[in-house]
Amino acid sequence: MEQYGQNQESIVPETKTVQHKQMSYQVVLCKQLMIVALMFDIEGEEAEHGDGTRKLYQTQLVLLKSIDGVDVEWVKEVKGNTYDMVVEGFQLLSRWTARVWEQCAWKFSRPCKDPVPMESHDMPASFSDYEKVVRYNYNAEERKALVELVSYIKSIGSMMQKVDTSVTDALWETIHAEVQDFVQNTLATMLRTTFRKKKDLSRILSDMRTLSADWMANASKPETEMQSYPHSGEESRGTLFYPRPVAPTSAQVHCLQFLIYEVVSGGNMRKPGGIFGNSGSEIPINDLKQLETFFYKLGFFLHVLDYTATLGTLTDLGFLWFREFYLESSRVIQFPIECSLPWMLVDHVIESPIIGLLESALMSFDIYNDAAQQALVILKQRFLYDEIEAEVDNCFDIFVLKLCETIFTYYKSWAASELLDPSFLFAIDIGEKFAVQPMRFVALLKTTRVKLLGRTINLRSLIADRMNKMFRDNLEFLFDRFESQDLCAIVELEMLLDILQLTHELLSKDLTIDSFNLMLNEMQENVSLVSYSSRLASQEWGDKVVQGYKKWQLLIQLMQVTSTFTVNDRIWTEMQNDFLPNFILCNTTQRFVRSARVPPVPVQKPSVPYAKPNFYCGTPDLNSAYQSFARLYCGFFGVPHMFSLVKLLGSRSLPWLIRALLDNISNKITTVEPMITGLQEALPKSIGLLPFDGGISGCMRLAKEHLSCWHSKSELKAEVLCGIKEIGSILYWMGLLDIVLREVDTRQFMQTAPWLGLIPGADGQILHSQEGGDSPMVTLFKSATTATMSNPNCTNPTSFHTISRQAEAADLLYKANINTGSVLEYALAFTSAALDKYCSKWSAAPKTGFIDITTSKDFYRIFSGLQIEYLEESIQLQSNTYEMLGDSVAWGGCTIIYLLGQQLHFELFDFSHQVLNVAEVESVAISPTQKNPNFLQGIEGLLEAMKKARRLNNHVFSMLKARCPLEDKQACAIKQSGAPLHRIKFENTVSAFETLPQKGA
């Protein structure tokens, strides 16, 4: 019928008018149904009205034919073509199935002599006879051809089965017309000519007409009148009848075949030359050909009438599964599933790189349906069906698993290819290997009804369930992989999660699966409404999580715009156990790098889990490309990692991670306090200024004498330095986080400002475009609500009022996020509060009212001694002390000094500062000829290290003055006379927080 629809013009007779050519096939069928309905109505009335009704029917039928005779002939031709198409389809299916039989027989009769193992664990001794004739006897090309042929047979058979009810009337009417034309016209002619004087044969032909003729649709004169007027012109045109969709029964067809055989052979079964050999027969050759043609047509009629059974026979490929002979000869209960020919075909489709075969995957499962039908209906062996059912259950599970793996790999590779850096592809010459060839999964993903052993399976639902599990397994793998690495791998985690999220987005267009955010929250154990810490920020805080400052609320509002989803991991544990102790800061590059020092207690991490390439980026080539990108970020932690961390943690977990780090600062201060007290107690009672007249060597010797009391406290000094270093690392980490959050907040502000009616002013402040009025967003929704309410056809005005109120709430929410705080400023305020309880010990007021230079043991004195010692050790003793501590020590020590109000004291009395001052004076007073080269060679490195440390300290103090001015911190100032001024406030500097847009400005 599809061919007819495509070639409609080619089958229309030339005599058909243009108007008839444009008439659709449906209109013609409607006319046909009107004629048939009229015929049935008249037939029902015939019993009551007799010959009068019959004459009326014949009159109306002649009128219909005369009015639309061309259409009737056209419909007859179309239905005849349908019949020919069905017969051609049966013949095609028969030839294809016969070829499968022939190939199967050929393979069974010629087993493989030298099998090649397909798997590495297959041993030659394990090859059975059945494996030689099936598993190793089909190469890739033969499997492909067999899969295609099976697909042709099953698809054509399925198409013909679907149109069963559509073509039934056309087939029956065509067969009815063929039979009636033969028995009413052809046999009538034979009776008048060839068999007129042969009473026995004439009686058989008359019986054929009596048996098969449908006189109800006959529009000619009765047979008696036809015989009375043999030479009239009307009878010479043949009997006119109207075909009906009433096919002959099987008994009628068999009787006609038997009677034709009787007429031709005379009952002699052994007649030489065959039934139509015409050997010694008195039947003319033309009549014999007509009988032969109709005899063979009757054979096709039987198959066409039994349409469904014929299709079942022609498409039956169950023989491809049966192997009972080899089971018996091999004396085994069952062969492995790899030896099953249907499963071999399914597996070949899944594993084959040929894209076009994928849609034929389900066709091979029909072989199991055919085998089960034979086992139950023909062989009547239940144990065979049980074996088939067990194999089908196993095979279909493996098929769904492999199919989902293929689908997941394709979409994962597609997503990875889309997210690959274009500049990378432009720079290389082999960018085509990272492209993904398109594959058609839509047909399989939309399949909801797979009939298998009498059951209907929803393949789409099974694939969706499996995909949900694969996405969750992939997320779990990514988190486990990250947990087995250090914090630097967070950029790789973000890239892989982005690829997985895009994979989910692409697959969701063709398949209904769970939300990615839902799966992500499930995997990170962050689904509860009261869960604020995920695996990424997990740690035990107790009741401390409910404490904080008022500014913390502003901080949380700022972080709510950083991300829309969260991930699971143990970042806090990673920072506490590995990052803070073992990473050092390089202030120049703004990066943390791993220290060269071997940690005293190695960090115990799980081994890197193994997974297939599709759990990474899909294909090995894409995996290699993304690993190259990941290696660029695996050796340090910096701003790119902070962006990834902000995105992955999200607004729910990030604040609590920050609070945990701040609590860690408080804990570190508490931990080092007794150690610093021990260092204070060990210092000599009097420590004077370094004398200028002793030169650099004299100053260094005197400093060593002052600090010689610490020689026995090397472990204590190391612990204090490590504690100060971790405090500095956390504060610098907060600074990086503040930079990232401000960039994210700026991007969010630029997106929301037009809707809020905000514009930048000349001085950088935020101005409202509509003073005293609503924002453009609220105005828009209010106007839309008003316009909708004024419409009398509005059926649900309440919903529009709700939308307007929600717009007002959103306006307030976004405006509240504009004026946000600073993470670094809050961290400094928190640290200052944590230092308050130790201020009396680390920053004692002088008893005399004047600055006591010699007896002071404040914190700045402790840090000054520690600094000059580790600088000297790292330079003169060629030690790696500096590489073990980095610049974090300066950030931690200078921050504590600044918050304690000891910056001026430190700059005046620091040992390194005094040595550098002496070195400057000495370099001017001593001529170049008086300098000792050997001495300068040893001291220049130390002086350069001291200068670098002083520059770093000044940089830290400058940053602290800008970000945390001490307008509320009391400290001591020194007059020119040397008298101290107590309880004086430092000059207030411009704070970065004050330069932010303020509400109402």
Side-chain angles (χ1 to χ4, degrees):
M1 299 302 293
E2 294 179 358
Q3 294 179 3
Y4 159 71
Q6 297 172 358
N7 304 313
Q8 181 177 353
E9 298 297 333
S10 62
I11 62 174
V12 177
E14 296 180 359
T15 58
K16 186 174 179 64
T17 62
V18 176
Q19 181 179 2
H20 288 161
K21 289 182 180 180
Q22 295 176 350
M23 185 178 296
S24 65
Y25 184 47
Q26 288 79 3
V27 176
V28 178
L29 287 180
C30 290
K31 293 183 179 181
Q32 175 74 7
L33 292 175
M34 290 172 57
I35 298 173
V36 175
L38 178 61
M39 179 185 67
F40 285 144
D41 291 340
I42 296 175
E43 286 180 355
E45 297 176 357
E46 183 180 0
E48 299 180 2
H49 302 284
D51 295 338
T53 304
R54 184 181 184 87
K55 292 179 180 179
L56 177 62
Y57 160 69
Q58 292 177 354
T59 303
Q60 292 178 347
L61 186 61
V62 171
L63 289 175
L64 286 172
K65 285 186 176 182
S66 61
I67 294 174
D68 207 5
V70 179
D71 286 338
V72 173
E73 293 298 326
W74 179 49
V75 171
K76 287 176 62 179
E77 184 177 356
V78 169
K79 293 182 177 181
N81 291 336
T82 302
Y83 172 84
D84 295 338
M85 192 182 303
V86 169
V87 173
E88 184 180 355
F90 285 166
Q91 292 173 341
L92 194 61
L93 291 175
S94 178
R95 287 197 299 269
W96 285 344
T97 306
R99 290 181 181 179
V100 176
W101 271 101
E102 291 174 358
Q103 187 200 36
C104 184
W106 176 273
K107 292 295 183 181
F108 272 68
S109 62
R110 291 168 175 80
C112 180
K113 295 181 180 180
D114 298 319
V116 178
M118 297 182 180
E119 303 292 342
S120 58
H121 56 78
D122 289 341
M123 300 301 295
S126 64
F127 297 153
S128 63
D129 293 338
Y130 191 70
E131 287 180 301
K132 294 180 181 180
V133 300
V134 174
R135 185 180 184 186
Y136 301 107
N137 212 17
Y138 289 85
N139 56 33
E141 290 296 328
E142 291 171 342
R143 295 188 185 193
K144 174 180 176 294
L146 188 56
V147 167
E148 291 179 344
L149 198 54
V150 170
S151 301
Y152 295 159
I153 294 173
K154 293 299 180 180
S155 58
I156 296 299
S158 176
M159 292 171 58
M160 295 183 68
Q161 185 63 45
K162 288 180 181 178
V163 299
D164 181 10
T165 57
S166 301
V167 302
T168 299
D169 288 348
L171 298 179
W172 288 1
E173 185 173 323
T174 302
I175 294 175
H176 176 269
E178 291 283 347
V179 173
Q180 298 308 314
D181 180 68
F182 179 78
V183 298
Q184 295 190 37
N185 293 330
T186 304
L187 290 184
T189 304
M190 291 183 182
L191 285 173
R192 291 194 301 267
T193 57
T194 306
F195 302 96
R196 187 173 186 179
K197 297 182 180 180
K198 300 177 182 180
K199 300 299 182 181
D200 294 338
L201 298 180
S202 178
R203 178 182 56 80
I204 296 176
L205 296 182
S206 299
D207 291 342
M208 293 171 61
R209 299 189 72 193
T210 304
L211 179 66
S212 304
D214 181 14
W215 304 112
M216 294 299 299
N218 192 358
S220 64
K221 296 180 180 180
E223 182 180 357
T224 55
E225 296 183 9
M226 291 169 53
Q227 294 176 355
S228 300
Y229 305 96
H231 302 291
S232 61
E234 184 180 356
E235 286 76 7
S236 63
R237 293 193 300 269
T239 303
L240 296 177
F241 62 89
Y242 191 79
R244 299 190 301 169
V246 181
T249 63
S250 300
Q252 288 177 313
V253 174
H254 285 296
C255 288
L256 286 174
Q257 285 181 319
F258 177 76
L259 293 175
I260 292 175
Y261 175 78
E262 286 290 330
V263 170
V264 176
S265 64
N268 186 5
M269 299 295 294
R270 299 181 179 179
K271 185 176 181 180
I275 183 174
F276 296 105
N278 200 23
S279 177
S281 175
E282 299 178 358
I283 302 175
I285 187 66
N286 293 332
D287 293 342
L288 190 63
K289 287 183 178 179
Q290 289 181 347
L291 291 172
E292 179 184 5
T293 302
F294 188 69
F295 181 86
Y296 288 123
K297 281 186 177 181
L298 289 174
F300 280 107
F301 291 165
L302 291 175
H303 297 295
V304 174
L305 292 176
D306 201 359
Y307 189 89
T308 302
T310 303
L311 277 179
T313 303
L314 295 178
T315 59
D316 184 6
L317 299 175
F319 59 88
L320 295 176
W321 179 84
F322 288 97
R323 59 272 181 130
E324 299 306 311
F325 170 78
Y326 284 94
L327 286 172
E328 185 67 23
S329 62
S330 303
R331 299 184 181 276
V332 295
I333 299 177
Q334 191 57 269
F335 291 117
I337 189 175
E338 293 83 5
C339 298
S340 178
L341 184 56
W343 171 248
M344 286 170 51
L345 300 181
V346 176
D347 187 62
H348 177 74
V349 171
I350 299 297
E351 301 293 340
S352 175
I354 303 176
I355 301 175
L357 290 179
L358 194 59
E359 295 182 353
S360 304
L362 292 174
M363 295 296 181
S364 299
F365 276 103
D366 273 346
I367 298 174
Y368 290 112
N369 292 333
D370 298 338
Q373 181 74 9
Q374 290 187 24
L376 289 179
V377 178
I378 300 176
L379 301 177
K380 302 184 184 301
Q381 298 294 332
R382 179 57 186 266
F383 79 93
L384 284 177
Y385 177 80
D386 293 339
E387 292 181 8
I388 296 171
E389 185 179 24
E391 183 174 327
V392 167
D393 291 341
N394 189 16
C395 290
F396 198 78
D397 290 341
I398 300 176
F399 164 72
V400 174
L401 177 61
K402 287 195 171 186
L403 178 63
C404 292
E405 289 281 348
T406 304
I407 295 174
F408 186 78
T409 301
Y410 168 70
Y411 280 95
K412 194 71 172 291
S413 304
W414 184 9
S417 178
E418 291 290 330
L419 294 178
L420 202 59
D421 190 355
S423 60
F424 170 76
L425 297 176
F426 180 78
I428 62 177
D429 297 332
I430 53 174
E432 62 276 0
K433 76 175 184 179
F434 300 111
V436 179
Q437 298 297 327
M439 299 180 68
R440 296 175 296 181
F441 291 103
V442 179
L444 290 174
L445 295 178
K446 291 184 178 180
T447 304
T448 57
R449 297 173 60 87
V450 178
K451 292 185 178 180
L452 203 58
L453 302 187
R455 294 173 291 179
T456 300
I457 302 174
N458 191 338
L459 181 61
R460 179 183 176 89
S461 177
L462 292 178
I463 295 177
D465 294 341
R466 176 66 65 174
M467 284 298 168
N468 288 329
K469 184 178 184 303
M470 292 186 68
F471 273 102
R472 287 174 169 84
D473 291 343
N474 201 167
L475 287 171
E476 186 69 23
F477 162 74
L478 294 181
F479 302 148
D480 291 341
R481 175 178 171 80
F482 178 59
E483 290 175 1
S484 64
Q485 304 178 80
D486 56 27
L487 194 60
C488 302
I490 195 169
V491 175
E492 179 190 18
L493 177 63
E494 182 199 8
M495 288 192 301
L496 296 178
L497 284 176
D498 288 342
I499 294 173
L500 188 62
Q501 187 178 22
L502 182 57
T503 303
H504 181 278
E505 180 181 345
L506 295 174
L507 187 58
S508 298
K509 296 178 181 179
D510 301 322
L511 191 67
T512 303
I513 53 181
D514 294 343
S515 169
F516 185 78
N517 291 342
L518 174 63
M519 293 187 289
L520 197 58
N521 291 333
E522 286 180 3
M523 292 298 102
Q524 68 172 349
E525 304 165 5
N526 191 24
V527 181
S528 173
L529 295 177
V530 296
S531 174
Y532 294 99
S533 61
S534 62
R535 288 169 56 186
L536 187 60
S538 62
Q539 66 111 22
E540 297 180 359
W541 296 328
D543 296 333
K544 296 181 180 179
V545 295
V546 297
Q547 301 174 358
Y549 292 91
K550 293 182 179 180
K551 191 184 289 186
W552 185 249
Q553 297 177 356
L554 298 176
L555 178 62
I556 294 178
Q557 293 176 357
L558 171 65
M559 294 169 187
Q560 286 177 349
V561 301
T562 59
S563 178
T564 58
F565 66 94
T566 57
V567 295
N568 302 333
D569 211 33
R570 297 182 300 176
I571 284 195
W572 163 240
T573 304
E574 181 67 26
M575 292 191 68
Q576 189 178 33
N577 297 337
D578 184 35
F579 180 78
L580 295 177
N582 300 323
F583 277 71
I584 61 174
L585 171 66
C586 180
N587 189 78
T588 305
T589 60
Q590 294 186 332
R591 293 179 176 182
F592 290 91
V593 295
R594 184 171 291 277
S595 173
R597 179 187 63 177
V598 178
V601 179
V603 180
Q604 299 294 331
K605 295 183 179 180
S607 59
V608 179
Y610 170 77
K612 298 179 180 178
N614 61 1
F615 270 26
Y616 291 93
C617 304
T619 63
D621 291 333
L622 289 170
N623 290 343
S624 177
Y626 275 93
Q627 286 176 3
S628 300
F629 284 106
R631 280 194 292 269
L632 299 176
Y633 302 96
C634 67
F636 71 96
F637 184 92
V639 175
H641 302 77
M642 195 61 71
F643 273 105
S644 300
L645 186 141
V646 169
K647 180 179 179 180
L648 298 180
L649 274 179
S651 58
R652 297 185 68 181
S653 300
L654 187 58
W656 303 111
L657 175 61
I658 296 174
R659 183 54 189 266
L661 291 171
L662 296 180
D663 288 342
N664 190 56
I665 292 179
S666 179
N667 295 334
K668 286 296 178 183
I669 294 175
T670 304
T671 302
V672 302
E673 187 272 334
M675 303 177 186
I676 293 177
T677 302
L679 294 178
Q680 287 176 330
E681 294 174 352
L683 285 175
K685 295 182 179 181
S686 177
I687 302 177
L689 295 176
L690 301 180
F692 276 71
D693 54 359
I696 299 175
S697 59
C699 291
M700 291 300 301
R701 183 173 59 254
L702 183 58
K704 290 181 181 180
E705 291 178 359
H706 290 328
L707 301 177
S708 61
C709 57
W710 287 354
H711 289 170
S712 61
K713 299 181 180 295
S714 58
E715 295 183 0
L716 195 64
K717 291 188 297 182
E719 292 181 4
V720 172
L721 286 174
C722 289
I724 296 175
K725 173 243 179 186
E726 291 192 22
I727 294 174
S729 296
I730 294 176
L731 293 174
Y732 195 86
W733 192 91
M734 293 293 183
L736 294 179
L737 178 62
D738 197 50
I739 295 172
V740 172
L741 288 179
R742 288 182 183 277
E743 181 174 338
V744 174
D745 183 45
T746 303
R747 187 187 308 118
Q748 177 74 14
F749 173 75
M750 295 300 294
Q751 294 173 354
T752 58
W755 294 96
L756 301 178
L758 304 177
I759 57 177
D763 56 351
Q765 298 298 317
I766 298 300
L767 302 179
H768 291 270
S769 60
Q770 298 179 357
E771 292 293 341
D774 295 326
S775 65
M777 178 175 61
V778 176
T779 304
L780 175 63
F781 281 98
K782 281 186 176 181
S783 60
T785 302
T786 303
T788 306
M789 294 292 298
S790 62
N791 188 355
N793 297 327
C794 182
T795 59
N796 190 9
T798 306
S799 60
F800 292 96
H801 281 297
T802 304
I803 293 176
S804 179
R805 289 195 296 269
Q806 290 176 349
E808 296 178 1
D811 180 72
L812 294 176
L813 177 63
Y814 281 109
K815 285 182 178 178
N817 287 333
I818 294 176
N819 301 320
T820 55
S822 168
V823 178
L824 179 59
E825 293 177 8
Y826 179 73
L828 293 173
F830 186 95
T831 306
S832 177
L835 290 171
D836 283 344
K837 58 183 176 180
Y838 305 111
C839 185
S840 59
K841 298 181 180 180
W842 294 358
S843 183
K847 297 179 181 180
T848 61
F850 292 91
I851 296 178
D852 193 347
I853 300 175
T854 60
T855 60
S856 175
K857 296 183 180 181
D858 292 345
F859 178 81
Y860 76 88
R861 184 78 76 182
I862 304 298
F863 182 73
S864 175
L866 294 174
Q867 179 179 257
I868 194 172
E869 279 195 346
Y870 86 75
L871 287 177
E872 184 179 7
E873 182 182 358
S874 62
I875 298 300
Q876 294 182 357
L877 303 180
Q878 299 298 322
S879 174
N880 60 349
T881 304
Y882 186 78
E883 285 73 12
M884 292 188 298
L885 297 176
D887 297 334
S888 299
V889 175
W891 277 89
C894 292
T895 300
I896 296 176
I897 291 173
Y898 176 80
L899 296 177
L900 291 174
Q902 300 175 3
Q903 177 186 352
L904 295 179
H905 296 72
F906 177 73
E907 292 176 349
L908 287 174
F909 307 126
D910 177 34
F911 294 117
S912 299
H913 281 62
Q914 296 181 55
V915 171
L916 289 176
N917 292 335
V918 172
E920 292 176 2
V921 174
E922 190 177 47
S923 63
V924 175
I926 302 176
S927 61
T929 58
Q930 296 177 346
K931 294 181 180 180
N932 187 353
N934 295 330
F935 175 76
L936 292 176
Q937 184 177 3
I939 203 65
E940 282 183 355
L942 178 59
L943 294 177
E944 193 64 33
M946 290 180 178
K947 292 178 181 179
K948 179 180 179 182
R950 184 171 61 178
R951 288 194 300 268
L952 179 59
N953 294 339
N954 293 336
H955 169 73
V956 175
F957 286 134
S958 300
M959 187 279 301
L960 292 173
K961 287 181 181 179
R963 303 303 299 271
C964 184
L966 295 179
E967 62 270 15
D968 294 331
K969 292 292 293 184
Q970 296 177 354
C972 294
I974 303 174
K975 291 183 178 181
Q976 293 181 356
S977 61
L981 295 177
H982 299 290
R983 305 182 62 83
I984 191 172
K985 295 182 179 180
F986 281 100
E987 182 181 358
N988 187 8
T989 58
V990 178
S991 172
F993 175 73
E994 294 176 354
T995 61
L996 291 176
Q998 299 295 322
K999 183 177 181 180

